[in-house]
């Protein structure tokens, strides 16, 4: 009787942990999607505004108006500072997402371990245990893939942030003049490279949103699987016999 009681307590406790983890993941996914959409909208508007300033900068550059070029550069530098700060914030968010996806992988590992112990020690339907194990392993593969995606996104975000910071540092200390046309042209190219990093940021956000939506669908399926597993006759009989 004591062993059965312990088993019942463990089953109930594990079920509570799964419910808590599933609820946490659902909240995190919804929050990431909402924030991602806002970020995408903001970044698109900022890129368009930046390109408008760049058009004026290019016109002044073509006419070799160094005074106007440097005035416009100062305005562009302000935008670059903002973008570098935002890139740093995005990198921190990407790091948090790695931690979240790692927690999901650990949760699946716990489910697989407990299902294996249940199958080895169970007295009821082993076919159900095998189906549960197959589902949990598939969920684990999905979660590991999601974690690899998060690690990749984080590294790419770090690379863009570093590139933006280096361009900002170079241009901030530079004053345009046309005594050395090649040098001025090279510094102008840095501005164009910065624009390209902003475009890459937008594409990365779009890709991240697609990944978040895919993960939300996967997590819905995992929650359904967990509910089905808890509702199986095998599990109910174990609880009653406790």
């Amino acid at each position: 009787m004591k062993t059965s009681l312990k088993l019942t307590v463990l089953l109930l406790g594990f079920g509570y942990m799964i419910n808590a983890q599933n609820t946490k993941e659902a909240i995190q996914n919804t929050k990431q999607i909402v924030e991602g959409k806002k970020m995408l909208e903001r970044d698109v508007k900022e890129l368009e505004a930046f390109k408008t300033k760049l058009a004026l900068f290019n016109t002044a550059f073509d006419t070799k108006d160094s005074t106007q070029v440097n005035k416009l550069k100062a305005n562009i530098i302000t935008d670059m500072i903002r973008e570098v700060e935002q890139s740093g914030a995005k990198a921190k968010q990407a790091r948090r997402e790695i931690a979240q996806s790692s927690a999901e992988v650990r949760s699946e590992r716990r489910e697989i371990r407990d299902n294996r112990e249940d199958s080895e020690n169970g007295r009821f339907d082993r076919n159900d245990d095998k189906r549960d194990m197959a589902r949990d392993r598939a969920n684990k593969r999905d979660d590991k893939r999601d974690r690899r995606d998060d690690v990749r996104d984080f590294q790419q975000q770090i690379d863009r942030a570093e590139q933006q910071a280096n361009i900002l540092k170079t241009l901030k200390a530079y004053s345009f003049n046309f005594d050395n046309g090649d040098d001025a042209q090279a510094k102008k190219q840095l501005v164009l490279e910065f624009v390209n990093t902003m475009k890459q940021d937008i594409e990365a956000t779009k890709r991240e949103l697609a990944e978040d939506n895919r993960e939300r669908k996967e997590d819905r399926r995992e929650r359904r699987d967990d509910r089905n597993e808890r509702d199986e006759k095998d599990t109910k009989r174990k609880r009653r016999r406790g």
Side-chain angles (χ1 to χ4, degrees):
M1 178 63 73
K2 290 183 179 180
T3 301
S4 298
L5 180 59
K6 289 180 180 179
L7 178 60
T8 300
V9 172
L10 288 172
L11 285 170
L12 291 173
F14 183 59
Y16 175 79
M17 289 173 58
I18 293 175
N19 285 334
Q21 180 65 25
N22 285 342
T23 300
K24 183 178 179 181
E25 291 173 9
I27 293 172
Q28 289 171 346
N29 285 342
T30 299
K31 182 180 179 182
Q32 286 172 196
I33 290 172
V34 170
E35 290 178 349
K37 288 179 179 179
K38 290 180 179 178
M39 188 185 302
L40 179 60
E41 182 179 0
R42 180 199 68 193
D43 288 353
V44 168
K45 289 180 179 178
E46 289 175 351
L47 175 60
E48 292 306 311
F50 195 99
K51 288 165 67 175
T52 298
K53 295 177 182 179
L54 180 60
L56 296 173
F57 175 88
N58 287 336
T59 298
F61 190 94
D62 290 342
T63 60
K64 297 184 179 181
D65 185 344
S66 58
T67 300
Q68 186 67 4
V69 166
N70 284 304
K71 181 179 178 180
L72 292 166
K73 186 210 78 169
N75 199 352
I76 288 174
I77 288 293
T78 300
D79 288 356
M80 287 184 173
I81 292 172
R82 178 201 66 220
E83 291 297 321
V84 170
E85 291 175 350
Q86 289 177 358
S87 289
K90 290 175 182 178
K92 290 180 180 179
Q93 174 61 29
R95 186 188 292 275
R96 285 194 293 271
E97 291 183 14
I98 292 176
Q100 291 167 7
S101 57
S102 296
E104 293 180 19
V105 171
R106 289 194 297 272
S107 177
E108 289 300 335
R109 284 174 177 163
R110 284 194 298 269
E111 288 192 45
I112 290 173
R113 184 184 63 243
D114 289 335
N115 281 340
R116 183 181 296 113
E117 292 174 357
D118 183 34
S119 178
E120 291 173 352
N121 301 320
R123 295 168 294 165
F124 304 102
D125 191 346
R126 293 184 181 275
N127 288 328
D128 280 344
D129 293 336
K130 290 180 180 179
R131 286 193 293 269
D132 295 340
M133 180 68 75
R135 286 196 299 261
D136 288 338
R137 283 174 173 165
N139 292 337
K140 179 185 173 184
R141 286 194 296 271
D142 289 341
D143 288 340
K144 290 181 74 173
R145 182 205 58 217
D146 295 340
R147 186 182 186 281
R148 287 194 298 271
D149 290 343
D150 289 339
V151 171
R152 178 207 62 208
D153 294 341
F154 171 70
Q155 187 55 58
Q156 290 178 352
Q157 184 63 55
I158 288 293
D159 292 343
R160 283 195 299 275
E162 290 179 349
Q163 183 181 5
Q164 289 179 340
N166 289 333
I167 292 174
L168 173 61
K169 182 179 179 181
T170 300
L171 290 177
K172 201 171 182 181
Y174 182 75
S175 180
F176 279 90
N177 67 73
F178 295 93
D179 295 335
N180 185 340
D182 290 341
D183 188 45
Q185 187 65 42
K187 297 303 187 292
K188 175 188 175 183
Q189 185 61 34
L190 289 179
V191 181
L192 300 179
E193 289 179 14
F194 196 95
V195 172
N196 192 46
T197 65
M198 294 174 70
K199 293 178 180 178
Q200 291 172 0
D201 237 0
I202 288 173
E203 291 306 311
T205 301
K206 290 179 180 178
R207 184 176 63 248
E208 178 67 21
L209 274 171
E211 291 171 0
D212 288 341
N213 278 299
R214 184 195 66 210
E215 289 175 25
R216 181 162 65 174
K217 292 178 181 178
E218 291 171 354
D219 288 343
R220 284 174 180 168
R221 189 194 67 237
E222 289 179 23
R223 290 195 295 274
R224 184 182 65 246
D225 290 345
D226 290 335
R227 284 195 303 270
N228 291 339
E229 186 174 341
R230 289 195 301 273
D231 291 339
E232 287 171 358
K233 293 180 180 179
D234 186 18
T235 303
K236 290 180 177 179
R237 290 169 65 189
K238 288 174 184 176
R239 290 176 179 171
R240 285 200 301 272
R241 292 199 177 189

